[in-house]
Amino acid sequence: MTINGLVRREVQELESYSVPELPVDIKMDANENNWGLPEALRDRVKTGVGDFPFHRYPDSDSSTLRERLGRYTGMDAGNLMVGNGSDELIMYVVNTFVSKGDRIVIHTPTFSMYDFFTRLSGGQTVAVESDGDFRVDSDSIVKAALEQEAKIVFVSNPNNPTGTVLSETELERIISGVRSVVVVDEAYYDFYGETVINWVYEHSNLIVLRTFSKALALAGLRIGYLAAGDEIMEYLKRVKIPYNVSSFSQYMAGMVMDEEKALREWLEEFRQVREDFASELASIDGVKVFPSHANFVLISVPDGEGTWRKLLNKGILVRKFGDRKMKDCLRVTIGKPGENRVFLRELAKCLKEG
């Protein structure tokens, strides 16, 4: 007997998702909030953690947190679900709708977990290619979804890794034009400022994803949430595992939402930092900058792999890509102004060296 003969075919065909930890001075590869939590909040955590009931199981349905999220988003708590990162929620959505042989539609390039969980379920991914500037045609998405009888359409808005967005008109065209569940992933919503989360009440096929891992600076605690109408939510509850989000993660998410005023003020500051960073990038010879509505900037350079390695040797880590269309692209998480200055200086040196 061999173990290989017992493993599901879908698992045999997958490659593990490896995220190597590289020792660097400046980490600009994972779209984290490099500012971290506000100092006042860090002090509150120190005083509150001593009596925390770590010995108790968490609130299985994150009821208190969902009530807080309801006030934070303007949604009814019953139309919200909290997950161990939005990855877990993507898995729930796929598990609910995709059977062996079913299809989903994505636009590429985009977040890899949509395809990962679909393939694991035995489903197939149909990719709609973006153009040379990574813009997505909403009509092409609708056409593919109808022709392929897709169960789900995933739309990342703003899109990772490109930072591009679809307008409300384009999103409406997709949601109303397909016979599929449409998942609009708003992981980078806070940096963009526009949302369709309230549309779940008028579009029964819509799911909206959000996360605390980006602007809200809790990537290490893995907290995501989704919004959906009553009918979809009823089915999602059937596949959700109990106690899926730790008590401490729920506690911290609530505390972060208490800092909404500080978050708004920081986002105003950040958008100016992003604008300055993109402008300075564009002034470097050999760099093409793609407009971004997220907390990262996608750039194209003459030699993506070589430039990535040179930056790494200087203690700076950014995101590189292996596929043909993005082989010379680098995704750079926008850091603090001091980090950005170092990156800009070293990138210019790398490109000048050739």
Side-chain angles (χ1 to χ4, degrees):
M1 183 192 76
T2 63
I3 296 299
N4 184 64
L6 301 175
V7 176
R8 289 171 52 206
R9 181 178 59 81
E10 291 85 3
V11 176
Q12 291 179 359
E13 294 175 353
L14 285 174
E15 294 182 6
S16 59
Y17 189 98
S18 178
V19 185
E21 288 295 323
L22 300 173
V24 292
D25 299 318
I26 299 179
K27 192 173 185 299
M28 307 175 80
D29 67 314
N31 300 345
E32 299 150 327
N33 180 337
N34 286 4
W35 278 257
L37 294 172
E39 185 175 351
L41 178 53
R42 291 198 295 269
D43 291 340
R44 287 174 59 202
V45 174
K46 291 175 186 176
T47 58
V49 74
D51 297 325
F52 196 83
F54 290 106
H55 60 299
R56 300 295 185 195
Y57 280 109
D59 173 353
S60 184
D61 292 324
S62 304
S63 302
T64 301
L65 178 55
R66 287 190 296 110
E67 290 290 342
R68 298 285 293 279
L69 279 167
R71 295 192 293 273
Y72 184 74
T73 61
M75 303 295 293
D76 187 286
N79 296 109
L80 298 170
M81 178 179 285
V82 181
N84 187 20
S86 56
D87 288 0
E88 182 185 45
L89 297 171
I90 294 168
M91 180 180 69
Y92 289 162
V93 172
V94 172
N95 288 350
T96 300
F97 295 102
V98 177
S99 300
K100 185 179 178 66
D102 286 338
R103 296 177 178 87
I104 72 159
V105 167
I106 64 172
H107 53 87
T108 60
T110 195
F111 188 45
S112 61
M113 289 295 102
Y114 312 141
D115 174 65
F116 176 85
F117 287 118
T118 297
R119 292 172 61 198
L120 186 58
S121 73
Q124 301 174 30
T125 299
V126 177
V128 175
E129 291 280 345
S130 57
D131 67 15
D133 289 322
F134 301 115
R135 291 187 296 261
V136 180
D137 177 28
S138 57
D139 289 332
S140 296
I141 292 176
V142 172
K143 184 173 183 288
L146 292 174
E147 288 179 349
Q148 299 294 329
E149 298 181 348
K151 286 289 192 74
I152 307 172
V153 174
F154 282 99
V155 178
S156 178
N157 202 57
N159 183 45
N160 174 25
T162 64
T164 54
V165 294
L166 288 167
S167 68
E168 285 192 355
T169 301
E170 292 169 311
L171 290 173
E172 173 70 38
R173 187 176 300 131
I174 295 170
I175 297 165
S176 299
V178 301
R179 293 187 291 272
S180 318
V181 170
V182 178
V183 179
V184 178
D185 189 343
E186 295 186 344
Y188 299 92
Y189 147 74
D190 299 283
F191 304 105
Y192 179 38
E194 297 189 20
T195 179
V196 295
I197 196 168
N198 60 313
W199 289 13
V200 301
Y201 294 118
E202 56 189 282
H203 294 287
S204 62
N205 64 327
L206 175 62
I207 298 173
V208 174
L209 286 172
R210 295 267 188 90
T211 183
F212 280 74
S213 294
K214 307 306 178 185
L216 300 177
L218 290 182
L221 292 182
R222 311 302 296 125
I223 313 163
Y225 63 99
L226 64 72
D230 294 341
E231 188 175 8
I232 285 180
M233 191 62 71
E234 178 58 36
Y235 287 110
L236 291 175
K237 288 176 182 177
R238 299 182 189 185
V239 302
K240 176 190 168 295
I241 62 173
Y243 307 122
N244 61 319
V245 179
S246 77
S247 298
F248 192 67
S249 293
Q250 294 182 42
Y251 169 74
M252 284 298 300
M255 293 190 75
V256 166
M257 283 186 287
D258 287 342
E259 302 294 326
E260 188 172 0
K261 181 175 181 291
L263 173 64
R264 286 202 194 99
E265 291 173 352
W266 174 76
L267 283 168
E268 284 299 315
E269 175 190 349
F270 174 83
R271 291 184 183 110
Q272 185 60 55
V273 171
R274 179 176 64 191
E275 184 177 326
D276 294 343
F277 184 61
S279 177
E280 292 186 57
L281 272 172
S283 70
I284 300 175
D285 287 342
V287 176
K288 178 178 180 179
V289 180
F290 298 92
S292 175
H293 296 273
N295 69 330
F296 57 83
V297 176
L298 185 72
I299 63 173
S300 176
V301 294
D303 176 11
E305 175 73 24
T307 304
W308 179 84
R309 291 192 178 281
K310 288 178 182 178
L311 288 168
L312 184 61
N313 289 336
K314 295 172 181 286
I316 302 171
L317 180 60
V318 297
R319 180 73 157 84
K320 64 172 180 173
F321 302 92
D323 59 278
R324 172 188 55 79
K325 192 169 185 176
M326 300 189 71
K327 70 180 182 67
D328 288 324
C329 289
L330 300 173
R331 190 192 66 195
V332 186
T333 304
I334 300 167
K336 295 179 179 180
E339 295 173 319
N340 296 338
R341 284 193 294 271
V342 173
F343 170 79
L344 290 163
R345 181 182 69 239
E346 298 302 330
L347 175 64
K349 287 181 182 178
C350 289
L351 296 177
K352 192 172 183 180
E353 292 167 4

